[in-house]
């Protein structure tokens, strides 16, 4: 059985489209010496398609004052992490989330404030830029915790002896329930079924850690889901001040994942937070987001 850390290191180091690497370098350059690493993840990585889509990155920084100075962005990133910003490089569009090294490690651990980061980095990702060897090693260590963390949380809410792939599907189903997401109900299964051998390998390598983890029950998950949805609203409010064109992005994301045809009005583009609030009841009622 391969060591989990070795699996993570090998996966993170796999090559990517040169345009992804170029964008990662450009993102890191905005933050100078504060930039520690850039990770590429998400649907564009899974589907191996870049054009016409929005790429997803995480920028890991040494600290928030290092990245922003002492202004409100540093406080916002510390209080409601991560901050999310749009980015354009060449003909490609992206968004990147900012976390400190400390917060990234914490959010991939069993003590995480939310379940989202561990869920994201229990999935495939690429380390497309790092400041030095130490920065890269810190990312590998953090990401290596994501799989046993996520599966450990889920172990007690699946039947004894559940197959590894069923454990993964349940884990993603539960974490999707902790966000306001415009996803179809089969999304968790599609993620696993896109590369079942990968998820089998990672579950097997994490097995000892998972089996000894203190499982979290249904009550814990319901609390995390309530907290996660409220947290998503707080992040949305913050993004209305940091994400240019945020309302259009939200509409595009919902239309793409939920099969809706939302067309924004001019006032909704000017006031993205109010737009999101005004759309929320209809989206919840129709099941476009959950």
């Amino acid at each position: 059985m391969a060591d989990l850390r070795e699996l993570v290191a090998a996966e993170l180091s796999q090559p990517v489209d040169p345009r992804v690497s170029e964008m990662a370098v450009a993102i890191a350059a905005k933050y100078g010496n504060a930039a520690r690493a850039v990770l590429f993840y998400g649907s564009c990585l899974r589907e191996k398609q870049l054009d016409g889509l929005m790429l997803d990155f995480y920028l890991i920084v040494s600290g928030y004052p290092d990245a922003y100075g002492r202004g409100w962005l540093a406080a916002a990133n510390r209080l409601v992490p991560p901050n999310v910003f749009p980015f354009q490089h060449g003909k490609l569009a992206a968004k990147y989330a900012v976390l400190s090294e400390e917060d990234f490690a914490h959010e991939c651990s069993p003590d995480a404030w939310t379940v989202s980061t561990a869920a994201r980095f229990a999935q495939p990702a690429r380390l497309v830029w790092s400041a030095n060897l130490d920065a890269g090693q810190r990312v590998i260590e953090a990401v290596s915790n994501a799989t046993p963390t996520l599966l450990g949380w889920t172990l007690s809410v699946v039947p004894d002896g559940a197959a590894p792939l069923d454990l993964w599907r349940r884990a993603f189903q539960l974490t999707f329930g902790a966000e306001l997401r415009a996803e179809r109900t089969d999304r968790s299964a599609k993620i696993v079924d896109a590369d079942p051998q990968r998820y089998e390998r990672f579950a097997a390598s994490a097995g000892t850690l998972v089996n000894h983890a203190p499982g979290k029950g249904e009550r814990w998950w319901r609390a995390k889901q309530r907290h996660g949805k409220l947290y998503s609203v707080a992040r949305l409010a913050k993004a209305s001040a940091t994400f240019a064109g945020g309302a259009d992005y939200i509409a595009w994301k919902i239309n793409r994942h939920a099969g809706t045809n939302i067309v924004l009005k001019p006032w909704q583009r000017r006031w993205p937070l109010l737009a999101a609030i005004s759309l929320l009841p209809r989206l919840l009622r129709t099941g476009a987001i959950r």
Side-chain angles (χ1 to χ4, degrees):
M1 183 191 306
D3 175 80
L4 179 60
R5 192 183 186 284
E6 292 175 1
L7 282 179
V8 168
E11 184 172 81
L12 288 174
S13 66
Q14 289 181 25
V16 295
D17 188 300
R19 294 174 294 171
V20 173
S21 299
E22 291 166 7
M23 182 170 275
V25 170
I27 291 171
K30 286 175 59 70
Y31 292 84
N33 292 335
R36 296 288 289 163
V38 180
L39 288 145
F40 174 53
Y41 74 101
S43 59
C44 291
L45 172 61
R46 286 195 304 274
E47 298 167 13
K48 299 179 181 177
Q49 182 179 348
L50 305 180
D51 296 304
L53 300 177
M54 182 165 280
L55 283 65
D56 291 298
F57 294 91
Y58 258 66
L59 169 68
I60 310 302
V61 297
S62 53
Y64 303 129
D66 298 338
Y68 308 112
R70 297 284 177 181
W72 75 273
L73 284 173
N77 215 146
R78 177 175 56 82
L79 294 171
V80 188
N83 284 358
V84 181
F85 301 95
F87 195 73
Q88 187 85 29
H89 186 75
K91 296 181 179 180
L92 295 179
K95 70 180 190 298
Y96 65 92
V98 181
L99 278 180
S100 69
E101 286 181 308
E102 181 181 1
D103 281 353
F104 184 60
H106 183 271
E107 288 304 285
C108 289
S109 79
D111 297 324
W113 300 307
T114 73
V115 298
S116 300
T117 303
R120 283 183 176 87
F121 289 98
Q123 300 174 51
R126 302 289 184 268
L127 177 58
V128 286
W129 180 90
S130 60
N132 50 42
L133 181 61
D134 175 67
Q137 293 301 311
R138 285 174 178 250
V139 166
I140 292 170
E141 291 295 337
V143 174
S144 296
N145 283 329
T147 289
T149 290
L150 178 63
L151 297 185
W153 285 337
T154 312
L155 197 61
S156 65
V157 292
V158 296
D160 290 341
L165 295 185
D166 290 334
L167 179 62
W168 277 111
R169 293 184 187 103
R170 183 62 172 149
F172 291 134
Q173 182 185 50
L174 288 165
T175 55
F176 286 170
E179 298 181 354
L180 292 175
R181 298 186 66 93
E183 309 284 7
R184 295 182 176 92
T185 56
D186 61 350
R187 183 71 170 170
S188 58
K190 284 187 173 181
I191 288 175
V192 176
D193 294 344
D195 192 354
Q197 291 79 17
R198 183 263 182 197
Y199 287 99
E200 291 269 14
R201 288 196 306 274
F202 272 65
S205 293
T208 302
L209 294 171
V210 172
N211 290 335
H212 288 84
K216 305 300 184 182
E218 297 282 358
R219 181 177 297 180
W220 183 89
W221 272 107
R222 285 195 296 272
K224 279 293 186 185
Q225 288 173 335
R226 288 193 298 270
H227 169 75
K229 290 182 185 297
L230 291 172
Y231 198 84
S232 294
V233 172
R235 285 182 55 193
L236 181 63
K238 185 178 63 172
S240 69
T242 64
F243 206 108
D248 285 296
Y249 169 71
I250 292 168
W252 173 82
K253 186 84 168 177
I254 292 170
N255 288 339
R256 179 169 182 258
H257 287 297
T260 53
N261 186 29
I262 296 169
V263 178
L264 295 179
K265 299 173 182 175
W267 73 265
Q268 290 173 314
R269 290 191 172 90
R270 288 195 302 271
W271 305 99
L273 177 58
L274 293 178
I277 293 171
S278 69
L279 290 170
L280 188 58
R282 176 161 62 95
L283 296 172
L284 290 170
R285 186 172 63 251
T286 61
I289 65 173
R290 296 170 177 83

